[in-house]
Amino acid sequence: MPETVIKPSAKTKPKVERPKLYKVILVNDDFTPREFVVRVLKAEFRMSEDQAAKVMMTAHQRGVCVVAVFTHDVAETKATRATDAGRAKGYPLLFTIEPEE
Ligand code: TYC
């Protein structure tokens, strides 16, 4: 008697999509004190003094600097909180988010 071959009824598509990632970008301005930018980077992005100073100086010299990469929710929350920390002191400090390629 021939062997019974069971054909899979449906193809199981492996669905392991990665969440889209977003860069948090620090934007330079002429008014926010350097030390304040460093303080916000340390507090909101858990950076060391050295890392924060480097990121701050890169934005200061080039206009912008990528701070870190997160899922959309986290990137948006951190960028908003960091921007609000500047606003609370009357500074125009700005963090934006941008999709990662
Ligand atoms: N340019 C500011 C100053 O000279 C410092 C600064 C750096 C502000 C980076 C914002 O994203 C920034 N006081």
Side-chain angles (χ1 to χ4, degrees):
M1 179 178 154
E3 192 184 330
T4 307
V5 176
I6 301 164
K7 193 177 164 230
S9 56
K11 290 232 168 72
T12 50
K13 186 182 167 203
K15 198 165 186 194
V16 285
E17 272 167 31
R18 276 181 286 274
K20 214 165 165 254
L21 295 177
Y22 290 77
K23 299 179 277 194
V24 173
I25 306 205
L26 170 64
V27 182
N28 186 38
D29 68 70
D30 291 338
F31 303 101
T32 309
R34 294 182 186 197
E35 314 75 52
F36 184 79
V37 179
V38 170
R39 200 185 313 156
V40 170
L41 288 170
K42 286 168 73 178
E44 192 57 47
F45 298 94
R46 303 176 144 278
M47 288 184 166
S48 69
E49 180 79 28
D50 262 32
Q51 289 176 303
K54 279 182 188 150
V55 167
M56 182 279 293
M57 280 311 290
T58 301
H60 178 72
Q61 289 165 345
R62 304 168 70 110
V64 290
C65 184
V66 175
V67 179
V69 171
F70 302 103
T71 55
H72 187 268
D73 265 22
V74 177
E76 196 169 66
T77 302
K78 286 187 180 286
T80 301
R81 284 173 50 98
T83 297
D84 286 351
R87 183 173 303 169
K89 297 274 185 193
Y91 299 134
L93 181 63
L94 179 63
F95 290 80
T96 59
I97 74 169
E98 175 180 306
E100 211 196 29
E101 298 87 67

